[in-house]
Amino acid sequence: MDMLHDINPIRLHTHTYSLQFVCSSISRYYNTPGKIGQKPKFNLTEIRTSSVDIDSSKGTLAFVTGLSGQLKRNLQLVCSVQNHRFVKIHTNCGRKVEFVELQGEEESQGLLGNSDSNYRTPLLSGRSRRQRSSYERNLGETSSSEEEFGRVTLDLDRNRATKRSSRKNMLRNGQRSLSVSNPNYDMTINMGDEEEGGSSSDGVNFPSHVGTPDDYRRHSSRLASNSNGLARCIGGIGSFACWFCSKLSRTLFRKKELRSREFTIGKPTEEKHAANIIRNQKYNVFSFIPLVLYQQFKFFLNLYFLIMATSQFFQSIRIGYWYTYWGPLIFVLSVTLIRELIDDIRRRQRDKEINNQKYHKITREGQLFVPSSKIKVGDLIMVEKNQRVPADMVLLRTSDKAGRCFVRTDQLDGETDWKLRLPILQELEHEAEIFTSSITVYAEKPQKDIHSFVGTMSRPRESDSDGRDEIGIQVENTLWANTVLAAGNAVGVVVYTGKETRSVMNNSIPRSKVGLIDLEVNNLTKILFLAVIGLAFLMMCLKGFEGPWYRYMFRFVLLFSYIIPISLRVNLDMAKAFYATSIQKDKSIAGTVARSTTISEDLGRISYLLTDKTGTLTQNEMVFKRLCLANSQADSIDDIRDKLKQAFRTARAQETVTHMRIDENIRVKEAIKALGVCHNVTPVCDENEDDQEMAYGIDREFTYQASSPDEIALVKYVKDVGLSLVQRDQSTMTLKSFDDGITLKYQILHVFPFTSEAKRMGIIVKTMNEDLSPGARREEIIFYQKGADVVMKNIVKYTDWMDESLDNMSREGLRTLVVAKKTLTQEQYDEFDKKYNAAKSSKVDRPTAIAAAVNPLEDNMDLVCVTGVEDTLQEDVKVTLETLRNAQIKIWMLTGDKLETAICIAKSSKLVATQQDLYVFKEIADRAQAFTELNNYRRKSDQPIVIKGESLDVCLQYYEREFMELACGAPVVVVCRCSPTQKAKVVELVQKSTNKRTAAIGDGGNDVAMIQAADVGIGIEGKEGRQASLAADFSIPQFRFVSTLLLVHGRYSYKRSASLAQFVMHRGLIITVMQAVFSSIFYFSSVALYQGLLMIGYATLYTMFPVFALVLDQDVRPEDLLRLPELYAELGKGRSLTYKTFFLWVLVSVYQGGMIMYGALILFKDEFIHIVSISFTSLILTELIMVGITIRTMHRLMILAEVVSFLTYVLSLFIFHGFFDINFILTWTFLWKVTLITTCSCLPICIFKYVGRCIAPPNYSKLG
């Protein structure tokens, strides 16, 4: 061992047992004053010897434990003043253990320090000088007496509960801990237990020269009596307060510990588990108001207004009426609260609809209906066909006599393949037997991994009443929540519920999303706040810091606070509600629902779109498209049907066929037979299974179940051409031609299922009545195999037509399969069967042994046909993806499906060009492989990336920044075999690496985490269910609606909000400039230019409707936006609301505010008393004209808003006599001078805008 040396060793001998020693190297923290708080080095090393070398000079110590696992894992050191040192070992079994003596030569290098301060130094380490002196006085000379000794217990148990329990026992026994548990290490040093007669509790007698523990307890008592009572009291209160706060925080914020569970079916469980509810709500009754207010006041804008409004409660700094500040603020908060309340109520109603779905619960008394939310762990639940599995269950029985069950897992992992599940109690005749069998189920603690499960089921043995049989439960015996039963009924016992289910654990917590424009406006308001402070400070500098200058300065801040208008939040919130309503009322995307009203503007800023494949780009429907034979390509079903009939009707002996040229009819028959036999499909009749035999004579509709939709498509095609699969079990298969009444029966000998590594599947069958001709052989053993072309090319005999057919179908984006066959003799099969069974029983390297047994069969097989299957795409997917690419939106496809399937869909959907080369990352298992692959791709960075989820994890583990840099620069990225958590992680990495806005779109429960992680989540409500739709910000019925949602509504929302925000800030800036001019002219007095009612009218009745009418503006027609998606690209740069545009509006405001105020002072010198009427009228007219200048496309509602606002102001001139002199206003002098001021303030702006458009016209100006 590294920690042991041969320098002055102390030998440790054992006399009774040959023990296994565990040596722990611990720094002698207790031998150095002031070092108690430091964390010691702690290492464990096992050695099998009867003696240990201890380096006393290095301060190391050997701790001894016995062989038994029942030891307390502690060591007591019993020390005397002299060089004799002993240890004894405690056991839980009460065995007598002799002492082990530590023998050393040097007195100065003793185990616990020098001989003159044997154990005194460790006990006083870390204490003050006064405490050490008092302690030494109490000990006196007894510390050096050979009758005195100390005993130190070092508790190495790392269980906190054990430490707390031992501490309580110490206090109960009257002990006083000299060193409390240190947070840096789990170790307690105390003065030992009280013993009688100097004997240990284990019955071990101390040596005669060693004192008793009672001697030391006298010193401990004297030390305790000298302690300060007040200090103990204060310390106790402080300790209690710390304990209470710690307990409270752990109770409120700790995550519930996930534990395994064991229960007996039919008996209530003792432990409490999570409720089986789906919850997409953001708030509850108690958190609603605090969280909403926090979300509002974390923005500087709202916090600023809150401070300004609060200041009006103080008389010395009050400027106007309190309601002029509190009224708008309360209105804004009320609108926000109502909006969030409505959104959350809608989410709650949707959750309630799912949680109230009824299920059959089986009890001892019978069956009863229970809602999904009432299902608990241990319940027996029956799930019916096409019904969602409500919780994670262990499958017990199915209605299928063959004992098989298929489930659709696309909501969980995105794969369209149906998964085969096997019950573990299928032999029971009725569910009632489950309750009488005393069955106990054990399940591991909840995990995220959906591909594994560890559990057991124990039941009494039939032969032995006292014994129990234990059955292992694998993932094949489970039904995960949110999967869908394909056919029949299934009975399972619930093991996980609610948030402990696999599907929920793979989802992320929904976050409150904030629009990018809100963040930008928040930053601009900070600049405006600095402008307010700077302007107020400037006024004070000019006024002079005399008297209560801080009060004057704060009054200036209040006067200039209109530079940040509270109406900004009101207008933006109302605009967001308008955008959501417009989206839902758009008939071109009928059925679209805006579930979030806060991020509509982000639809116009998307740079990355991350999409699911299954159910999003595709319809989950496989359609057979091509059948290629040796010299022909069959497209017409009728043509194939006719040739198949002719082949069956032709009486031709097998011997004759082998010597003649095989005609096309025979090729068609062999191909159809191969497709009808080489699969793993099971037909299910919806009617009574007892009558299924009668169905063979009738062309009855069957439901096909399989682990691959490709196989179902092939079997359906075979049925369409006249050969139906009517029966299949574990050992036989029956095909029937209803046109000719021909029945083909096969005995299934072996099935080789499809795997991602093998990329092929095979079956060995034995014909039972192959042909109708008398000369045909009645029994024949045939090996059929189909698989991907990359592996089948090396298996089949060379043909010149296969490569050409594969290339043609690949260009069409079809999923290709190569089908081959091989006829075996009985001797060949017997030899193979022997080797294969031996390989399956092998305990060493079983996969290799099985592959070696099958390989001889996969040699020189006869090519039968090549098939092409199309995964039907959603409507207009190709056009939509092309439009989004032209809008410079990068598209990533994240799917849980296989690599080959992902590549096929990427090509068929035109996500990548048909002739474009793809860079497929190889399997990556370590850092070196990741480095090599990334370097290889750097040379081909213009190619789309295709990578598996496992390889992606390795790349991100070692080269996250490098990989994301390459991936974000790639034209397209396809990630296959991607788990739900990986999808969400990819979204977050894209956001982190690019600082761009991302959108995620999906339709299944496995897409919820990705949707919630993205800046904009879009859910498709379709065949996959509603879970993604309910969790998304926007719900659409079809993928093609994405283009309209982003290019049209996204553009309108962003452009309108940018104009609205800047115009509202302009409205506040201009009146602030006027106030600053007014104050500077009137001796820097902090007096308001306009009274409170005029300010409220200015922000509401007089200008609100025309300004808000900007949300109706359209710079480009919707049809032109879809026709020219390049117009969307400029939005990603955010040029509609930048610091440049903001400061341009600031200059406009300064010019117009100064022009109005100085113009009024110059033109109305003799009528200075009417300054309010003059300037305010010009201000209102200027704002109305500026709205007209800003609008690009006039709308009738805009004109109406302008007219109504102007007439409202004119009417107020006659109503508010306290503010306006009607006699003066009706004079021609007032009218023409106000007109002149307004013209001077607006005309230069109009000219400037016109010249700017002529010099740099917008990119849409040529559209007309």
Side-chain angles (χ1 to χ4, degrees):
M1 353 179 0
D2 295 337
M3 64 180 179
L4 299 179
H5 305 278
D6 294 327
I7 305 176
N8 298 324
I10 298 177
R11 302 294 299 177
L12 178 66
H13 299 282
T14 57
H15 305 291
T16 307
Y17 296 99
S18 176
L19 301 176
Q20 174 182 343
F21 295 92
V22 179
C23 293
S24 305
S25 176
I26 302 179
S27 301
R28 292 179 60 184
Y29 65 94
Y30 48 80
N31 205 27
T32 306
K35 298 296 184 180
I36 285 184
Q38 294 185 358
K39 181 176 180 179
K41 297 179 180 179
F42 191 82
N43 299 313
L44 293 178
T45 305
E46 290 188 0
I47 55 175
R48 298 179 179 275
T49 179
S50 59
S51 64
V52 178
D53 289 341
I54 304 174
D55 182 7
S56 59
S57 64
K58 298 295 183 181
T60 55
L61 178 63
F63 292 93
V64 186
T65 61
L67 287 170
S68 174
Q70 301 180 9
L71 294 178
K72 292 182 179 179
R73 307 193 71 184
N74 64 5
L75 171 68
Q76 287 190 340
L77 302 178
V78 183
C79 324
S80 69
V81 177
Q82 300 179 1
N83 289 335
H84 299 282
R85 296 171 180 84
F86 296 86
V87 298
K88 70 172 182 177
I89 304 172
H90 275 267
T91 66
N92 290 336
C93 53
R95 295 181 300 176
K96 181 175 180 180
V97 181
E98 292 188 5
F99 275 89
V100 180
E101 183 176 359
L102 295 175
Q103 299 176 351
E105 299 177 358
E106 299 186 29
E107 295 182 1
S108 61
Q109 297 293 337
L111 185 62
L112 297 179
N114 297 331
S115 59
D116 59 345
S117 58
N118 217 1
Y119 54 86
R120 184 170 64 226
T121 301
L123 297 181
L124 297 180
S125 298
R127 297 176 179 268
S128 64
R129 182 177 300 176
R130 180 178 300 176
Q131 289 173 324
R132 290 199 298 268
S133 300
S134 174
Y135 185 83
E136 292 174 356
R137 285 196 303 270
N138 290 328
L139 289 180
E141 297 180 356
T142 58
S143 60
S144 60
S145 172
E146 70 177 16
E147 293 297 323
E148 300 295 326
F149 73 97
R151 186 174 61 197
V152 180
T153 300
L154 301 179
D155 189 358
L156 299 183
D157 193 349
R158 293 184 174 271
N159 191 311
R160 296 184 177 181
T162 305
K163 292 194 296 180
R164 288 196 297 267
S165 177
S166 62
R167 198 176 300 127
K168 291 180 181 178
N169 292 334
M170 288 168 51
L171 296 175
R172 188 181 299 114
N173 294 332
Q175 298 178 2
R176 179 174 180 269
S177 178
L178 295 179
S179 179
V180 298
S181 179
N182 193 299
N184 293 323
Y185 45 85
D186 293 330
M187 183 173 293
T188 302
I189 303 177
N190 59 52
M191 294 308 299
D193 301 328
E194 183 176 354
E195 299 175 0
E196 297 180 1
S199 300
S200 68
S201 59
D202 288 10
V204 182
N205 296 323
F206 285 89
S208 59
H209 64 276
V210 178
T212 64
D214 292 331
D215 297 327
Y216 185 81
R217 286 184 56 79
R218 290 194 296 271
H219 298 294
S220 179
S221 300
R222 276 182 286 173
L223 180 64
S225 64
N226 293 334
S227 300
N228 192 319
L230 180 60
R232 289 203 308 270
C233 181
I234 296 175
I237 295 175
S239 300
F240 175 78
C242 294
W243 171 84
F244 179 78
C245 295
S246 175
K247 191 76 173 178
L248 182 63
S249 62
R250 286 198 301 267
T251 303
L252 294 177
F253 302 107
R254 69 179 178 184
K255 295 180 64 176
K256 182 180 178 182
E257 182 182 0
L258 300 178
R259 293 176 294 179
S260 59
R261 64 276 320 266
E262 186 173 6
F263 55 88
T264 301
I265 300 178
K267 295 182 180 180
T269 58
E270 298 179 357
E271 298 182 5
K272 291 184 178 180
H273 302 286
N276 193 46
I277 57 175
I278 292 178
R279 179 182 172 83
N280 289 309
Q281 290 178 254
K282 294 182 180 179
Y283 316 103
N284 56 37
V285 176
F286 302 102
S287 66
F288 174 70
I289 293 180
L291 289 180
V292 173
L293 292 180
Y294 168 75
Q295 292 294 333
Q296 291 301 306
F297 288 119
K298 75 178 183 180
F299 289 104
F300 177 79
L301 180 65
N302 291 341
L303 183 61
Y304 172 77
F305 286 124
L306 178 64
I307 296 174
M308 293 297 103
T310 305
S311 67
Q312 295 307 292
F313 289 116
F314 300 94
Q315 184 67 32
S316 60
I317 57 176
R318 181 181 298 173
I319 295 297
Y321 301 103
W322 66 270
Y323 55 81
T324 60
Y325 289 88
W326 280 101
L329 181 61
I330 292 175
F331 176 76
V332 170
L333 296 178
S334 300
V335 170
T336 303
L337 287 169
I338 293 173
R339 185 191 64 204
E340 290 292 330
L341 179 62
I342 293 174
D343 289 346
D344 215 48
I345 288 176
R346 290 175 180 173
R347 284 189 287 265
R348 183 178 183 277
Q349 290 174 346
R350 294 190 294 266
D351 293 342
K352 185 177 180 181
E353 180 181 342
I354 296 177
N355 292 328
N356 286 337
Q357 291 180 353
K358 301 294 184 180
Y359 290 88
H360 287 281
K361 178 181 177 181
I362 302 174
T363 63
R364 295 179 183 272
E365 293 75 20
Q367 294 186 10
L368 64 149
F369 280 102
V370 295
S372 175
S373 58
K374 299 298 182 182
I375 294 177
K376 300 179 181 179
V377 172
D379 287 351
L380 228 60
I381 303 297
M382 176 183 290
V383 183
E384 298 178 343
K385 178 183 177 182
N386 293 328
Q387 196 173 26
R388 180 185 68 92
V389 179
D392 289 352
M393 303 193 304
V394 172
L395 180 60
L396 302 181
R397 298 185 71 254
T398 71
S399 59
D400 181 36
K401 289 185 176 180
R404 295 191 297 180
C405 175
F406 285 92
V407 293
R408 297 197 298 267
T409 63
D410 35 26
Q411 286 270 10
L412 190 63
D413 56 15
E415 297 187 19
T416 56
D417 302 351
W418 289 7
K419 303 297 189 299
L420 176 64
R421 294 292 182 260
L422 303 175
I424 56 178
L425 295 178
Q426 185 67 19
E427 68 275 7
L428 300 181
E429 296 183 358
H430 197 270
E431 288 80 8
E433 299 182 26
I434 299 176
F435 297 102
T436 60
S437 301
S438 184
I439 299 174
T440 301
V441 177
Y442 165 80
E444 63 177 345
K445 69 177 183 179
Q447 306 281 351
K448 283 187 176 183
D449 190 1
I450 61 177
H451 301 294
S452 66
F453 177 74
V454 177
T456 59
M457 175 177 289
S458 62
R459 53 189 301 188
R461 294 177 184 170
E462 297 181 358
S463 58
D464 185 3
S465 58
D466 296 331
R468 297 182 69 88
D469 291 325
E470 194 169 87
I471 306 171
I473 304 175
Q474 309 296 332
V475 69
E476 292 81 9
N477 310 121
T478 60
L479 298 175
W480 297 141
N482 288 327
T483 58
V484 178
L485 197 64
N489 299 330
V491 176
V493 59
V494 177
V495 290
Y496 306 120
T497 53
K499 60 183 180 182
E500 295 179 346
T501 59
R502 295 299 206 263
S503 61
V504 175
M505 292 186 70
N506 277 281
N507 292 338
S508 59
I509 300 175
R511 63 185 179 95
S512 296
K513 299 182 181 180
V514 180
L516 181 58
I517 197 169
D518 293 319
L519 300 176
E520 292 171 344
V521 169
N522 191 54
N523 292 332
L524 294 179
T525 55
K526 295 177 183 178
I527 298 177
L528 293 177
F529 173 73
L530 295 177
V532 169
I533 299 299
L535 191 56
F537 182 76
L538 177 62
M539 287 294 176
M540 287 305 305
C541 291
L542 297 174
K543 180 181 177 66
F545 292 91
E546 298 176 356
W549 61 268
Y550 53 87
R551 184 187 305 171
Y552 297 143
M553 183 172 179
F554 197 84
R555 285 175 63 88
F556 276 123
V557 171
L558 291 173
L559 284 175
F560 301 147
S561 63
Y562 290 104
I563 199 173
I564 312 176
I566 185 64
S567 57
L568 179 59
R569 289 304 317 168
V570 178
N571 283 275
L572 287 178
D573 288 343
M574 293 174 61
K576 293 174 186 294
F578 173 77
Y579 302 150
T581 304
S582 300
I583 291 173
Q584 295 183 162
K585 290 186 177 181
D586 189 351
K587 295 182 180 179
S588 63
I589 52 174
T592 301
V593 179
R595 305 194 187 279
S596 176
T597 58
T598 59
I599 56 173
S600 300
E601 297 90 351
D602 280 4
L603 291 171
R605 311 285 294 276
I606 299 301
S607 299
Y608 288 86
L609 176 66
L610 298 98
T611 176
D612 179 40
K613 177 190 73 68
T614 307
T616 304
L617 301 179
T618 67
Q619 297 183 16
N620 283 344
E621 294 180 359
M622 299 294 177
V623 179
F624 190 93
K625 287 292 186 179
R626 296 284 186 274
L627 176 64
C628 294
L629 303 175
N631 296 317
S632 64
Q633 178 173 301
D635 294 330
S636 173
I637 292 180
D638 295 334
D639 183 38
I640 297 295
R641 182 189 289 268
D642 293 339
K643 292 179 180 180
L644 184 63
K645 288 181 181 179
Q646 294 176 13
F648 277 128
R649 291 173 182 174
T650 301
R652 185 172 296 169
Q654 184 69 24
E655 290 83 356
T656 305
V657 173
T658 57
H659 295 288
M660 294 178 58
R661 188 180 71 87
I662 301 178
D663 60 17
E664 189 173 357
N665 293 345
I666 300 299
R667 291 194 184 95
V668 169
K669 187 184 80 167
E670 292 299 321
I672 298 302
K673 284 168 53 180
L675 295 178
V677 172
C678 187
H679 55 74
N680 199 14
V681 179
T682 301
V684 176
C685 183
D686 292 337
E687 298 187 17
N688 194 331
E689 296 182 8
D690 295 336
D691 299 333
Q692 192 161 340
E693 290 291 336
M694 300 174 58
Y696 297 164
I698 306 173
D699 191 1
R700 180 173 294 182
E701 190 68 28
F702 287 94
T703 300
Y704 294 111
Q705 301 180 17
S707 59
S708 171
D710 302 67
E711 292 192 331
I712 295 179
L714 296 177
V715 172
K716 286 184 176 180
Y717 175 77
V718 171
K719 179 183 178 182
D720 292 338
V721 298
L723 193 61
S724 299
L725 175 67
V726 295
Q727 181 269 339
R728 176 171 180 161
D729 54 30
Q730 300 286 357
S731 58
T732 61
M733 179 191 308
T734 303
L735 303 176
K736 188 174 182 63
S737 174
F738 293 99
D739 295 334
D740 302 320
I742 298 175
T743 301
L744 305 179
K745 292 185 178 180
Y746 297 92
Q747 179 183 356
I748 301 175
L749 302 179
H750 289 287
V751 178
F752 312 104
F754 179 90
T755 62
S756 300
E757 293 76 18
K759 294 183 173 59
R760 59 190 181 275
M761 72 86 55
I763 186 171
I764 301 178
V765 296
K766 186 175 184 179
T767 60
M768 300 175 68
N769 55 344
E770 175 68 20
D771 286 315
L772 298 178
S773 55
R777 292 183 297 177
R778 294 296 178 181
E779 291 187 357
E780 190 175 28
I781 300 176
I782 306 175
F783 173 43
Y784 289 106
Q785 191 172 63
K786 70 173 186 287
D789 57 296
V790 292
V791 296
M792 295 298 292
K793 286 180 179 180
N794 301 323
I795 294 176
V796 300
K797 297 177 183 178
Y798 173 76
T799 54
D800 55 357
W801 58 272
M802 183 178 71
D803 291 337
E804 182 181 357
S805 300
L806 290 172
D807 292 340
N808 293 335
M809 287 188 285
S810 178
R811 281 192 290 270
E812 298 178 21
L814 301 180
R815 303 170 65 168
T816 58
L817 285 174
V818 177
V819 184
K821 62 172 288 189
K822 187 175 187 179
T823 303
L824 306 177
T825 63
Q826 187 66 45
E827 292 76 13
Q828 288 176 322
Y829 172 74
D830 291 340
E831 182 181 358
F832 161 77
D833 187 60
K834 182 179 179 181
K835 293 181 179 179
Y836 186 73
N837 290 331
K840 289 197 300 182
S841 303
S842 175
K843 295 182 179 179
V844 180
D845 202 3
R846 182 180 299 177
T848 304
I850 292 177
V854 177
N855 281 340
L857 299 181
E858 299 174 335
D859 183 35
N860 284 332
M861 297 188 69
D862 297 323
L863 178 61
V864 177
C865 63
V866 177
T867 64
V869 178
E870 180 185 42
D871 190 354
T872 308
L873 299 175
Q874 294 275 3
E875 185 179 357
D876 293 336
V877 162
K878 298 179 182 179
V879 177
T880 303
L881 292 177
E882 182 68 23
T883 301
L884 296 176
R885 275 200 304 270
N886 292 335
Q888 296 186 12
I889 297 176
K890 290 192 174 183
I891 304 173
W892 292 25
M893 186 172 75
L894 312 179
T895 177
D897 222 329
K898 299 184 289 291
L899 176 68
E900 295 78 9
T901 306
I903 294 176
C904 285
I905 297 301
K907 290 184 177 180
S908 63
S909 64
K910 303 302 180 184
L911 182 62
V912 297
T914 305
Q915 302 299 330
Q916 189 174 11
D917 293 332
L918 301 176
Y919 187 85
V920 181
F921 275 68
K922 299 178 181 178
E923 297 286 346
I924 299 176
D926 53 35
R927 184 170 188 166
Q929 293 177 348
F931 179 80
T932 302
E933 285 298 308
L934 291 176
N935 276 341
N936 292 339
Y937 179 73
R938 287 184 186 276
R939 308 183 187 98
K940 306 176 182 179
S941 57
D942 58 335
Q943 295 181 1
I945 292 177
V946 181
I947 187 172
K948 289 185 177 181
E950 298 84 355
S951 301
L952 175 66
D953 281 340
V954 178
C955 289
L956 295 179
Q957 180 181 357
Y958 297 109
Y959 302 103
E960 178 182 304
R961 184 179 60 83
E962 292 80 1
F963 176 81
M964 292 306 300
E965 179 183 350
L966 294 174
C968 292
V972 176
V973 176
V974 177
V975 183
C976 57
R977 291 297 183 188
C978 192
S979 67
T981 52
Q982 281 180 322
K983 292 182 179 181
K985 183 178 180 180
V986 170
V987 173
E988 293 169 354
L989 288 174
V990 172
Q991 294 170 339
K992 175 183 175 182
S993 303
T994 63
N995 289 324
K996 301 289 185 180
R997 308 309 277 181
T998 60
I1001 180 171
D1003 71 319
N1006 62 313
D1007 302 318
V1008 170
M1010 172 180 69
I1011 287 172
Q1012 293 176 341
D1015 297 304
V1016 177
I1018 305 173
I1020 296 180
E1021 185 173 345
K1023 297 180 180 179
E1024 302 301 326
R1026 302 178 58 193
Q1027 190 169 356
S1029 171
L1030 297 178
D1033 303 305
F1034 299 91
S1035 172
I1036 58 177
Q1038 299 181 44
F1039 180 81
R1040 64 189 179 95
F1041 289 171
V1042 173
S1043 57
T1044 303
L1045 188 64
L1046 299 183
L1047 273 60
V1048 178
H1049 291 283
R1051 179 186 180 88
Y1052 286 164
S1053 299
Y1054 170 61
K1055 300 282 282 188
R1056 291 167 175 174
S1057 288
S1059 298
L1060 181 63
Q1062 293 178 120
F1063 202 94
V1064 173
M1065 285 187 285
H1066 157 74
R1067 191 173 60 183
L1069 278 165
I1070 190 173
I1071 201 169
T1072 302
V1073 172
M1074 294 174 66
Q1075 177 67 55
V1077 173
F1078 175 80
S1079 297
S1080 61
I1081 291 175
F1082 288 92
Y1083 308 102
F1084 305 102
S1085 61
S1086 55
V1087 178
L1089 173 60
Y1090 304 119
Q1091 296 301 317
L1093 289 177
L1094 287 182
M1095 294 302 299
I1096 294 177
Y1098 171 71
T1100 55
L1101 293 177
Y1102 303 148
T1103 60
M1104 185 183 72
F1105 295 113
V1107 172
F1108 188 74
L1110 290 171
V1111 300
L1112 301 173
D1113 191 21
Q1114 290 185 3
D1115 56 346
V1116 187
R1117 293 174 298 180
E1119 55 270 20
D1120 292 332
L1121 291 174
L1122 294 175
R1123 184 166 53 89
L1124 296 173
E1126 292 80 7
L1127 297 175
Y1128 184 87
E1130 65 172 353
L1131 302 180
K1133 302 175 183 178
R1135 293 178 177 175
S1136 296
L1137 181 61
T1138 61
Y1139 290 112
K1140 177 183 177 180
T1141 60
F1142 168 72
F1143 284 113
L1144 286 176
W1145 276 102
V1146 171
L1147 293 176
V1148 170
S1149 303
V1150 172
Y1151 167 77
Q1152 290 183 330
M1155 176 58 68
I1156 292 173
M1157 204 62 203
Y1158 281 109
L1161 294 174
I1162 293 173
L1163 295 178
F1164 292 89
K1165 290 182 179 179
D1166 300 333
E1167 298 88 3
F1168 191 75
I1169 192 173
H1170 303 299
I1171 190 66
V1172 173
S1173 302
I1174 299 166
S1175 60
F1176 196 75
T1177 302
S1178 297
L1179 177 63
I1180 297 299
L1181 293 176
T1182 298
E1183 288 300 301
L1184 296 179
I1185 293 173
M1186 287 299 296
V1187 171
I1189 296 174
T1190 306
I1191 289 174
R1192 302 175 183 87
T1193 304
M1194 189 60 67
H1195 192 277
R1196 62 178 183 272
L1197 292 179
M1198 297 178 182
I1199 299 174
L1200 179 63
E1202 293 266 339
V1203 173
V1204 169
S1205 297
F1206 177 75
L1207 294 178
T1208 302
Y1209 177 69
V1210 172
L1211 182 62
S1212 65
L1213 293 177
F1214 295 92
I1215 296 176
F1216 298 110
H1217 299 287
F1219 300 105
F1220 307 106
D1221 185 357
I1222 190 61
N1223 295 324
F1224 171 72
I1225 291 174
L1226 293 177
T1227 62
W1228 283 104
T1229 303
F1230 172 80
L1231 293 177
W1232 77 264
K1233 290 186 177 181
V1234 169
T1235 304
L1236 179 60
I1237 294 175
T1238 305
T1239 303
C1240 292
S1241 67
C1242 295
L1243 184 60
I1245 306 301
C1246 295
I1247 297 174
F1248 178 79
K1249 283 182 173 288
Y1250 178 77
V1251 173
R1253 290 193 178 186
C1254 292
I1255 296 175
N1259 51 8
Y1260 55 83
S1261 58
K1262 297 181 180 180
L1263 297 176

